[in-house]
Amino acid sequence: MNGFAAVDFEFARQVLQRGVAALFVVAFVSTLNQFRPLLGEHGLLPATELLEWARSSKRGQRLLRPTLFRRLRYSDRRLVALCVAGVVVAAALVIGIPQLGPPWVPMLCFLGLWFGYMSITSIGQTFYGFGWEMLLLEAGFLAAFLGSDRQPPPTVVTVLFWWLVFRLEFGAGMIKIRGGREWRDLTALMYHHETQPMPGPLSRQAHLLPSWFHRGEVLGNHFSQLIVPWFLFAPLLGLFVPGPVPAIIGAVAAAIVIATQAWLVLTGNFAWLNWMTIVLAFSAIGLPGIGAAHAPAASDPPWTLDGMPVYWLVVTCAVGVLYLVLSWWPLQNLFAQRQLMNASFNRWQLANAYGAFGTVTTQRIEIVVEATTDEDPDAATWREYAFKGKPGDVRRIPRQFAPYHLRLDWLMWFLPLGRSLEDWFTAFLVRLLEADAATLRLLAHDPFAGERPRWVRAVSYRYRFTTREEFRRTHDRWVRDRRRPVMGPVSLRR
């Protein structure tokens, strides 16, 4: 580092800008494919009803976060236009085209992505209530101030990325230590690979590893989330301590974070959470010699300081001051007795609190949706709808979808954890009875090939991975047993 310029972090900037932009592409594509059947004009939870409530209620106006659709009437066509524009701008940033111009060009592009996606999450209700939504927004906001290829990365924004990784990792670690006993007695990962929301193709193999390995996983998790994040700030010592040691310490800390997140990528499907953490961790990897040529003398025209135009230095320092103020609340939260998880302390979702899996469920309960075309539900032959990501067919290998986000499948995992079924699920069953084409496209298989069923019901099953011996005998990857009816049979009135 060289004062205001993080000249050794040019590679980090390239990874951050292009990586964050790539995940915006994924987020907008996911929205393009899923928002309309879930939240569109004829969706399960129509966003138009939320916006109408916000317009007619002072409380609604206060609670609704910033969105383009507060002033601009929502329509599915406008949602599509917003998503397409987001994909185009984000793809340009991945290629690096805006970065070729002055720093305000990529700044405007990232701020456009930030506000455009916030306009979606603000009306996304429970389908957009995940912590990685606000993580993407905050990362997009900070990426706006990394500058362009014409000047070195600003030190203050680079440090703010370290602060984001710290809140993300240390916050998750503190949630676990304060959460379920399984994180303290080192048994959490004896269950997690099996009971996580959406297993991946290697989850069963991970689950079948010996118990000593799972205890080591938990210890490694605590080390990487509670101890390692502090060392991400080590490169700051390079401002005062000569030599490569501070940069090496920061790079090693980042490498540990990346390695642990890569293991989670291999063994689960957590949308873009782990992928974003990997991208953000690269912010602490400084490579001397890359980017040093971007630091002209302070007297070079136009007026520069540490290789950066003064106006850009003022802008980035203002962002630093803003974060200095906003960070007071998440800092308090990190050490609070009742720590909040995935919480925002301001309307713009900056300087948020993060965390995940404070407790781990020990059993996997799945809601299986079945339907029939028979008239008599008591004597009917029931056929099962297949979801894309969540377990169903006991022989099917779980697929890898992350960083893509299957929102319906994720919320299906949460259903058995609640006290009652949510409104969106009732609407979902109605859409199945109507054989709604848009809703059926969210599924992997419709057993009725577009025909309307007569009855539909929901049944809970307990799932567990087969042992190696069971798999050799049956070739099943899951064992399931029926628990109880959850809803139905229900039908539409004729």
Side-chain angles (χ1 to χ4, degrees), residues 87-102:
V87 169
V88 171
V89 172
L93 287 162
V94 173
I95 296 170
I97 296 174
Q99 293 93 309
L100 298 175

PDB file of all heavy atoms in Angstrom, residues 87-102:
ATOM      1  N   VAL A  87     -28.529  -7.445 -16.648  1.00  0.00           N
ATOM      2  CA  VAL A  87     -27.645  -8.457 -17.220  1.00  0.00           C
ATOM      3  C   VAL A  87     -26.656  -7.810 -18.182  1.00  0.00           C
ATOM      4  O   VAL A  87     -25.451  -8.128 -18.181  1.00  0.00           O
ATOM      5  CB  VAL A  87     -28.464  -9.554 -17.929  1.00  0.00           C
ATOM      6  CG1 VAL A  87     -27.551 -10.463 -18.753  1.00  0.00           C
ATOM      7  CG2 VAL A  87     -29.242 -10.370 -16.911  1.00  0.00           C
ATOM      8  N   VAL A  88     -27.130  -6.890 -19.017  1.00  0.00           N
ATOM      9  CA  VAL A  88     -26.255  -6.240 -20.003  1.00  0.00           C
ATOM     10  C   VAL A  88     -25.170  -5.420 -19.317  1.00  0.00           C
ATOM     11  O   VAL A  88     -23.982  -5.516 -19.653  1.00  0.00           O
ATOM     12  CB  VAL A  88     -27.090  -5.360 -20.960  1.00  0.00           C
ATOM     13  CG1 VAL A  88     -26.179  -4.501 -21.836  1.00  0.00           C
ATOM     14  CG2 VAL A  88     -27.998  -6.225 -21.828  1.00  0.00           C
ATOM     15  N   VAL A  89     -25.548  -4.604 -18.336  1.00  0.00           N
ATOM     16  CA  VAL A  89     -24.573  -3.762 -17.635  1.00  0.00           C
ATOM     17  C   VAL A  89     -23.579  -4.633 -16.864  1.00  0.00           C
ATOM     18  O   VAL A  89     -22.358  -4.395 -16.905  1.00  0.00           O
ATOM     19  CB  VAL A  89     -25.295  -2.781 -16.687  1.00  0.00           C
ATOM     20  CG1 VAL A  89     -24.284  -2.032 -15.819  1.00  0.00           C
ATOM     21  CG2 VAL A  89     -26.132  -1.792 -17.480  1.00  0.00           C
ATOM     22  N   ALA A  90     -24.084  -5.642 -16.174  1.00  0.00           N
ATOM     23  CA  ALA A  90     -23.195  -6.508 -15.397  1.00  0.00           C
ATOM     24  C   ALA A  90     -22.247  -7.275 -16.307  1.00  0.00           C
ATOM     25  O   ALA A  90     -21.055  -7.445 -15.983  1.00  0.00           O
ATOM     26  CB  ALA A  90     -24.026  -7.472 -14.558  1.00  0.00           C
ATOM     27  N   ALA A  91     -22.738  -7.755 -17.447  1.00  0.00           N
ATOM     28  CA  ALA A  91     -21.874  -8.469 -18.384  1.00  0.00           C
ATOM     29  C   ALA A  91     -20.780  -7.557 -18.922  1.00  0.00           C
ATOM     30  O   ALA A  91     -19.629  -7.987 -19.109  1.00  0.00           O
ATOM     31  CB  ALA A  91     -22.710  -9.035 -19.532  1.00  0.00           C
ATOM     32  N   ALA A  92     -21.105  -6.286 -19.169  1.00  0.00           N
ATOM     33  CA  ALA A  92     -20.092  -5.334 -19.636  1.00  0.00           C
ATOM     34  C   ALA A  92     -18.999  -5.158 -18.589  1.00  0.00           C
ATOM     35  O   ALA A  92     -17.801  -5.055 -18.924  1.00  0.00           O
ATOM     36  CB  ALA A  92     -20.749  -3.993 -19.957  1.00  0.00           C
ATOM     37  N   LEU A  93     -19.385  -5.133 -17.319  1.00  0.00           N
ATOM     38  CA  LEU A  93     -18.403  -5.013 -16.230  1.00  0.00           C
ATOM     39  C   LEU A  93     -17.549  -6.277 -16.116  1.00  0.00           C
ATOM     40  O   LEU A  93     -16.360  -6.203 -15.801  1.00  0.00           O
ATOM     41  CB  LEU A  93     -19.113  -4.734 -14.910  1.00  0.00           C
ATOM     42  CG  LEU A  93     -19.678  -3.323 -14.748  1.00  0.00           C
ATOM     43  CD1 LEU A  93     -20.721  -3.278 -13.635  1.00  0.00           C
ATOM     44  CD2 LEU A  93     -18.562  -2.327 -14.460  1.00  0.00           C
ATOM     45  N   VAL A  94     -18.143  -7.440 -16.341  1.00  0.00           N
ATOM     46  CA  VAL A  94     -17.366  -8.679 -16.320  1.00  0.00           C
ATOM     47  C   VAL A  94     -16.297  -8.648 -17.404  1.00  0.00           C
ATOM     48  O   VAL A  94     -15.138  -9.031 -17.182  1.00  0.00           O
ATOM     49  CB  VAL A  94     -18.285  -9.901 -16.510  1.00  0.00           C
ATOM     50  CG1 VAL A  94     -17.459 -11.179 -16.671  1.00  0.00           C
ATOM     51  CG2 VAL A  94     -19.231 -10.046 -15.325  1.00  0.00           C
ATOM     52  N   ILE A  95     -16.663  -8.156 -18.579  1.00  0.00           N
ATOM     53  CA  ILE A  95     -15.708  -8.056 -19.680  1.00  0.00           C
ATOM     54  C   ILE A  95     -14.655  -6.991 -19.384  1.00  0.00           C
ATOM     55  O   ILE A  95     -13.490  -7.113 -19.777  1.00  0.00           O
ATOM     56  CB  ILE A  95     -16.453  -7.741 -20.992  1.00  0.00           C
ATOM     57  CG1 ILE A  95     -17.394  -8.901 -21.347  1.00  0.00           C
ATOM     58  CG2 ILE A  95     -15.477  -7.487 -22.131  1.00  0.00           C
ATOM     59  CD1 ILE A  95     -18.336  -8.584 -22.483  1.00  0.00           C
ATOM     60  N   GLY A  96     -15.066  -5.933 -18.679  1.00  0.00           N
ATOM     61  CA  GLY A  96     -14.137  -4.874 -18.316  1.00  0.00           C
ATOM     62  C   GLY A  96     -14.244  -3.623 -19.155  1.00  0.00           C
ATOM     63  O   GLY A  96     -13.357  -2.761 -19.113  1.00  0.00           O
ATOM     64  N   ILE A  97     -15.330  -3.462 -19.886  1.00  0.00           N
ATOM     65  CA  ILE A  97     -15.460  -2.303 -20.780  1.00  0.00           C
ATOM     66  C   ILE A  97     -15.586  -0.989 -20.009  1.00  0.00           C
ATOM     67  O   ILE A  97     -14.843  -0.028 -20.285  1.00  0.00           O
ATOM     68  CB  ILE A  97     -16.661  -2.503 -21.732  1.00  0.00           C
ATOM     69  CG1 ILE A  97     -16.397  -3.706 -22.647  1.00  0.00           C
ATOM     70  CG2 ILE A  97     -16.904  -1.243 -22.563  1.00  0.00           C
ATOM     71  CD1 ILE A  97     -17.578  -4.073 -23.517  1.00  0.00           C
ATOM     72  N   PRO A  98     -16.497  -0.859 -19.028  1.00  0.00           N
ATOM     73  CA  PRO A  98     -16.583   0.431 -18.306  1.00  0.00           C
ATOM     74  C   PRO A  98     -15.301   0.793 -17.568  1.00  0.00           C
ATOM     75  O   PRO A  98     -15.010   1.978 -17.374  1.00  0.00           O
ATOM     76  CB  PRO A  98     -17.737   0.199 -17.317  1.00  0.00           C
ATOM     77  CG  PRO A  98     -18.538  -0.898 -17.914  1.00  0.00           C
ATOM     78  CD  PRO A  98     -17.538  -1.790 -18.574  1.00  0.00           C
ATOM     79  N   GLN A  99     -14.519  -0.216 -17.163  1.00  0.00           N
ATOM     80  CA  GLN A  99     -13.286   0.044 -16.414  1.00  0.00           C
ATOM     81  C   GLN A  99     -12.217   0.708 -17.265  1.00  0.00           C
ATOM     82  O   GLN A  99     -11.208   1.189 -16.740  1.00  0.00           O
ATOM     83  CB  GLN A  99     -12.745  -1.262 -15.817  1.00  0.00           C
ATOM     84  CG  GLN A  99     -13.626  -1.878 -14.738  1.00  0.00           C
ATOM     85  CD  GLN A  99     -14.598  -2.909 -15.278  1.00  0.00           C
ATOM     86  OE1 GLN A  99     -15.321  -2.640 -16.232  1.00  0.00           O
ATOM     87  NE2 GLN A  99     -14.616  -4.088 -14.681  1.00  0.00           N
ATOM     88  N   LEU A 100     -12.412   0.754 -18.575  1.00  0.00           N
ATOM     89  CA  LEU A 100     -11.425   1.393 -19.449  1.00  0.00           C
ATOM     90  C   LEU A 100     -11.531   2.914 -19.414  1.00  0.00           C
ATOM     91  O   LEU A 100     -10.607   3.611 -19.829  1.00  0.00           O
ATOM     92  CB  LEU A 100     -11.599   0.901 -20.897  1.00  0.00           C
ATOM     93  CG  LEU A 100     -11.382  -0.599 -21.124  1.00  0.00           C
ATOM     94  CD1 LEU A 100     -11.700  -0.959 -22.575  1.00  0.00           C
ATOM     95  CD2 LEU A 100      -9.950  -0.987 -20.777  1.00  0.00           C
ATOM     96  N   GLY A 101     -12.644   3.433 -18.940  1.00  0.00           N
ATOM     97  CA  GLY A 101     -12.864   4.866 -18.913  1.00  0.00           C
ATOM     98  C   GLY A 101     -12.462   5.482 -17.584  1.00  0.00           C
ATOM     99  O   GLY A 101     -11.780   4.859 -16.766  1.00  0.00           O
ATOM    100  N   PRO A 102     -12.888   6.705 -17.316  1.00  0.00           N
ATOM    101  CA  PRO A 102     -12.616   7.347 -16.023  1.00  0.00           C
ATOM    102  C   PRO A 102     -13.360   6.630 -14.902  1.00  0.00           C
ATOM    103  O   PRO A 102     -14.310   5.871 -15.161  1.00  0.00           O
ATOM    104  CB  PRO A 102     -13.121   8.782 -16.228  1.00  0.00           C
ATOM    105  CG  PRO A 102     -14.086   8.704 -17.359  1.00  0.00           C
ATOM    106  CD  PRO A 102     -13.609   7.600 -18.252  1.00  0.00           C
TER     107      PRO A 102
END
